[in-house]
Amino acid sequence: MAPMILGAAPFGFIFGALAASGPLGAWNGLLMSATVFAGASQFVALGLIAAHAGLVLLWLTTLIVNLRHGLYAANLLPHVARLPKRWRLLLAFLLVDEAFALVSEFHRREPQATLGHWYYLGAGLAMYANWLTMTVAGVLVGESFPGLATSGLDFAIVATFVSIVVPQLGERPRLAAALSSAVAAVALHDLPLRLGLLAASAVGIAAGVAALRLRRAARGAA
Amino acid sequence: MNYPLAILGMAAITLACRATFYLLGERIVFPPLARDALSFVPVAVLSAITVPLILFSGGDSLNLSWRSPWLVGGVAAIAIAWFGKRRLATIAGSLAVFFVWRFLVAG
């Protein structure tokens, strides 16, 4: 769990520093980290605000960038469906990329676990505390370190995501999904509003399903 | 722009994305195709985020030079994760390669 938090820490820090030194300001930056709690869309929002975009475009972009969280929720639903409503709402708020990665891996490793929601809560709260703390640190320290965003600490997110994805690629359908998603993401990199991310994910998912079905068909025939 | 309003709207939209399935959960039944598709969501989304970061040096222009610390660090991360399968080793090792490469080569 710790490396995942380390991987996200620089982003909270950089977000806080950029927010404090830009038009958004320190307090609104903190408000955003506390209530939105979604790194990618927070960075996109900084860019849109700097470009004087309107409310509707800002909200539409937030929806597009965070739609993937709906897919995460659908994926984890079997593990939370029996919890009380207040639990589900709390766990939904904490459903960031890293929490999803940790929780889905936990259930893959221990399919029989019954206390997975406590693991989920712990992972989510750790990420939230880390995100808020690092935003505060960024707000406080950021302005005295110009050029922070280019310092390369954001490579940590690459290292983190590679460490999650690559160990799963021994299975052929997952390899097919990862490779086709990556190729599509590079080809569609210049689409506006990060639409390329969504489109490439769809390509990768389709390739994975196709590979899975082909393998099943081959085994069925053998 | 009214920033607090903009931010609270973003928060509501984000929570809606995350909570819809959880709250309506019992009423949604997934066919096998959807179940298969959902199992590939993490690997597809994370790959679509990560690989462009590596090849575009975290920015907007393609950079495939051996001098790119993003490219060399990314390849190192993939190699360490493939052969070692240890998460912390992957993160620490590739971060070290990234910073050393940037210091020595990309300057």
Side-chain angles (χ1 to χ4, degrees), chain A residues 28 37 53 59 66 69-70 75 88 92-93 95 100 105 120 151-152 155 159 161 163 174 181 189 208 213 216, chain B residues 1 3 6-7 10 13-14 17-18 21-22 26 33 36 38-40 42 44 47-48 50 56 73 87 94 98 102:
Chain A
N28 284 320
F37 186 36
W59 287 345
N66 288 337
H69 294 140
N75 190 302
R88 278 178 280 157
F93 177 72
L95 188 57
F100 172 69
E105 193 188 87
Y120 185 161
S151 80
F155 180 78
F161 286 177
S163 77
R174 289 186 185 279
S181 172
H189 185 260
R213 301 251 152 150
R216 277 190 202 142
Chain B
M1 186 188 287
Y3 289 133
I7 291 166
M10 286 178 67
I13 291 165
T14 305
C17 288
R18 292 171 176 166
F21 279 103
Y22 280 6
E26 303 95 294
L33 178 63
D36 284 349
L38 288 171
S39 73
F40 289 102
S47 301
T50 308
F56 289 77
R87 179 173 287 159
S94 64
F98 176 85
R102 207 177 56 154

Side-chain angles (χ1 to χ4, degrees), chain A residues 10-214:
Chain A
F11 288 93
F13 188 81
I14 293 166
F15 174 80
L18 293 178
S21 58
L24 196 57
W27 288 107
N28 284 320
L30 288 174
L31 179 67
M32 197 187 281
S33 276
T35 60
V36 179
F37 186 36
S41 60
Q42 289 183 225
F43 276 98
V44 172
L46 280 183
L48 289 174
I49 287 168
H52 306 291
L55 263 188
V56 174
L57 181 60
L58 178 69
W59 287 345
L60 184 65
T61 310
T62 303
L63 177 67
I64 292 169
V65 173
N66 288 337
L67 264 183
R68 70 182 187 287
H69 294 140
L71 298 178
Y72 294 167
N75 190 302
L76 292 182
L77 178 60
H79 306 296
V80 306
R82 287 191 192 84
L83 298 170
K85 195 164 261 177
R86 253 182 299 177
W87 259 95
R88 278 178 280 157
L89 202 55
L90 175 62
L91 293 182
F93 177 72
L94 298 173
L95 188 57
V96 290
D97 298 283
E98 291 84 355
F100 172 69
L102 286 167
V103 172
S104 60
E105 193 188 87
F106 175 82
H107 284 294
R108 226 159 37 91
R109 224 171 39 225
E110 315 204 9
Q112 306 303 326
T114 52
L115 292 174
H117 52 292
W118 287 104
Y119 181 88
Y120 185 161
L121 182 67
L125 285 179
M127 285 301 304
Y128 188 61
N130 172 62
W131 187 245
L132 272 187
T133 310
M134 294 313 290
T135 303
V136 172
V139 163
L140 292 177
V141 185
E143 285 172 303
S144 40
F145 289 95
L148 188 72
T150 54
S151 80
L153 267 179
D154 38 2
F155 180 78
I157 204 77
V158 168
T160 305
F161 286 177
V162 166
S163 77
I164 298 167
V165 169
V166 169
Q168 303 180 21
L169 300 185
E171 289 172 51
R172 287 288 168 79
R174 289 186 185 279
L175 185 62
L179 287 180
S180 41
S181 172
V183 169
V186 171
L188 303 174
H189 185 260
D190 293 332
L191 287 189
L193 304 178
R194 289 179 68 113
L195 281 172
L197 173 61
L198 278 183
S201 304
V203 169
I205 292 165
V209 169
L212 187 67
R213 301 251 152 150
L214 279 175

